[in-house]
Amino acid sequence: MNSNAGPSITLAQLTGTLAFDDGNTKFRYALRLCWGSGSYPMPNFHISINGSTALYPTQTGTTTAPSGCQLSLFLYDGEYTHSTTVANVTLYVTGGWFYPGNTYNSRTKSVTYDNPYN
């Protein structure tokens, strides 16, 4: 995701895998968050289940950052079991930057995945 005001700045990139369980109540994730070299403060993300329940995964590690990312690539690996059927999961990523001068801007992008088992 890039900034949409001022010069084009890489804010964040969330990559990895999301796997649904055929029991319809569980999913696993292995996600990598890149803190874009022009972004400040560190970007964040959360997962929405069925459009209502929010999950804020805990960082499970770091690895060497690829080109275009600051510091480290942040790792988030885990499994979530929901109390009812998981119909869909949406990932929301938010990054921020300053432009012009000390004016703070933020941008959020999302992507939704439907559970193929229901």
Side-chain angles (χ1 to χ4, degrees), residues 12-15 29-34 42-48 55-59 74-77 90-95 108-109:
Q13 183 179 36
L14 187 65
T15 58
Y29 54 89
L31 302 171
R32 312 294 178 252
L33 180 63
C34 163
M42 180 181 166
N44 62 73
F45 78 97
H46 72 276
I47 301 171
S48 173
L55 170 65
Y56 294 87
T58 302
Q59 183 179 327
F74 303 98
L75 310 177
Y76 300 84
D77 299 297
T90 304
L91 304 174
Y92 291 90
V93 183
T94 301
T108 300
K109 289 193 104 175

Side-chain angles (χ1 to χ4, degrees), residues 34-98:
C34 163
W35 179 353
S37 57
S39 177
Y40 187 83
M42 180 181 166
N44 62 73
F45 78 97
H46 72 276
I47 301 171
S48 173
I49 300 94
N50 298 339
S52 60
T53 302
L55 170 65
Y56 294 87
T58 302
Q59 183 179 327
T60 55
T62 60
T63 190
T64 304
S67 176
C69 297
Q70 293 189 51
L71 306 171
S72 298
L73 195 60
F74 303 98
L75 310 177
Y76 300 84
D77 299 297
E79 181 176 278
Y80 176 79
T81 301
H82 199 55
S83 59
T84 62
T85 299
V86 175
N88 59 62
V89 170
T90 304
L91 304 174
Y92 291 90
V93 183
T94 301
W97 74 104
F98 289 92

Side-chain angles (χ1 to χ4, degrees), residues 100-118:
N102 291 331
T103 303
Y104 180 73
N105 299 276
S106 68
R107 185 172 187 202
T108 300
K109 289 193 104 175
S110 66
V111 59
T112 299
Y113 297 97
D114 287 327
N115 184 348
Y117 296 107
N118 61 43

